[in-house]
Amino acid sequence: MFRIYFFKHVSLRYFNTVSSDVRVRFAPSPTGVLHLGGLRTAFFNYLFARKNQGKFILRIEDTDRKRIKPGSREILNGMLEWSGIIPDESPEMGGQYGPYVQSERLQIYHEKADLLLKSGAAYRCFCSETRLEILRKEALHTRESRGYDNKCRHLDPSEIDQLLKEGKSYTIRFKIPEGPISHSDIVFGQQTYNVSENEGDFIILKSDGFPTYHFASVVDDHLMKISHVLRGTEWLISTPKHILLYQALNWQPPKFAHLPLLTNSDRSKLSKRQESIGIEYFKDKGYSPIALLNFLGVAGGGFGRQEGFITYDLPSLCAKFNLESVNTGSCIVDLRKLDIFNHNYLIQQLSDETSTAHLIQELRAILKKKYGKRYENEQKNLSDSYIKKILLCYKDRMCTLNHLTEPDMEYIWTTVEWEEISEKLTSLNISPSIVAKLKSVADFLSSLPNAEFTQDNLNNNLKNMSKDLNVPFSSLMRALRVVLTAQKNGPGVSEIIDILGKKRCLEKIYFVVEKSESMLQNLHQNKN
């Protein structure tokens, strides 16, 4: 029967968890995008290393060859760089304990597996995949899954020699000793689990010559001098196996800390297939990496009591981080909180000239990507001071910079095409006579001193103009909104004029009036 015991006491969340030389690792498989859970693991390893003046290592665990997806390593490196979580040692950075890609370390795993064979701690298993599949089906039928039945553990040496002579394919399995295994997890406290009661002997070297995760991670963690293993709680049940391997190889195990599960708001497990948990998704949506890291920190604990949604920089997060105060309960991922963190981050950035300048450049990159040639054609009108004005105007309404590129704000950054304006004027039954009268509005705006170019003043003057022009105020405003934005609805017209500024408003109004008059002339000539 399966048994695992959890003892959660403060005294067991251990006092002596930090050695003098801290080395931690993030060891993902190149099987797709980096997701929230993976980033959280990398982030907490990075924090722990920096907090203790240690080293953060990136290792690629690519021994499951069937699951590898081309380009995954490049995506992973790109997302870590974007997040600011830069490893001290990695396949790209190098280091004295490489190679840092498991498929380049096969000879090492074979040497260690041979040591276990010679000591009697492991054995060759010649069971076919067909037999193993039968065992799996029987286990499903009886609902008693112990895994492998240890058949090949009992082969005579002569039988093994004969099978080897016949060229039989084999795996290498670890011989699980009897008795419970106990260890103290830094986060979850004292753990005890009897592997031999619940599981069969497990494979450490597959028939294709590649190691399993259990074996390769133990060998690499030891040879790379990893002092602490921080990983997801799904690996907590495997830790006793790893400790048994350390003991069989006469190695000292590192200290273990398992990080709680990230869940949806309904407590269901986050799926790696959910698009909205891939880190590229958050980058493309315009979230700041530091806001995302703060969000993950609050979701997982480790930073003491949190008040509000303050966005700390990486050095501050490292100083605040305490591994022993990480939550043991699952962590709900509430993306509404990420919006608040990112909003607060943008507000913080806008309070400083240097960081505001960086925001402006970030926004320019987003605009260029979003609008392409249309942005470039309008760029002469989009000065840094103009973009700063937009940022300050909308700072209380935006969660990310991408919110400034939503369809109803397109007019702020691009020149609206005449065809689009003409179509909207027609659909709203705005007559050419009203459009023609907008020239008087433009002439008035041109004569208005800059000191009087305020929303309140504009609104009052436009009301007076509607009377002078004998045009209902609502009709005049509707026509102006379409001319300036090509939209039926939106902010007040005075706000739009204030945002765009005098020069751009005059250009837009005169342009539309001229186009409208030209069309009327062409129609008149065609009739004649």
Side-chain angles (χ1 to χ4, degrees), residues 194-294:
N194 193 322
V195 186
S196 63
E197 277 187 3
N198 300 289
E199 304 180 37
D201 295 338
F202 57 91
I203 295 172
I204 59 173
L205 207 63
K206 294 176 283 187
S207 58
D208 62 2
F210 280 83
T212 58
Y213 165 80
H214 300 300
F215 188 54
S217 65
V218 165
V219 171
D220 290 344
D221 285 346
H222 174 75
L223 296 181
M224 293 180 183
K225 300 189 182 300
I226 301 302
S227 63
H228 296 73
V229 172
L230 281 62
R231 59 190 177 190
T233 190
E234 65 269 24
W235 295 109
L236 185 59
I237 192 66
S238 298
T239 302
K241 292 181 185 177
H242 301 166
I243 291 173
L244 288 172
L245 283 168
Y246 278 105
Q247 291 176 349
L249 290 162
N250 293 315
W251 294 341
Q252 178 68 34
K255 295 180 174 69
F256 293 96
H258 289 85
L259 308 174
L261 196 67
L262 296 181
T263 69
N264 296 302
S265 55
D266 62 358
R267 297 286 181 181
S268 61
K269 183 180 179 181
L270 285 182
S271 169
K272 294 180 183 180
R273 294 178 178 85
Q274 289 175 237
E275 178 198 23
S276 59
I277 69 163
I279 305 308
E280 277 190 298
Y281 170 87
F282 295 104
K283 180 187 177 189
D284 292 343
K285 287 292 183 182
Y287 289 100
S288 159
I290 196 63
L292 184 59
L293 294 178
N294 274 266

Side-chain angles (χ1 to χ4, degrees), residues 433-450:
S433 62
I434 291 179
V435 174
K437 290 180 179 182
L438 293 181
K439 184 177 184 302
S440 298
V441 175
D443 291 342
F444 165 74
L445 292 175
S446 178
S447 66
L448 196 66
N450 290 336

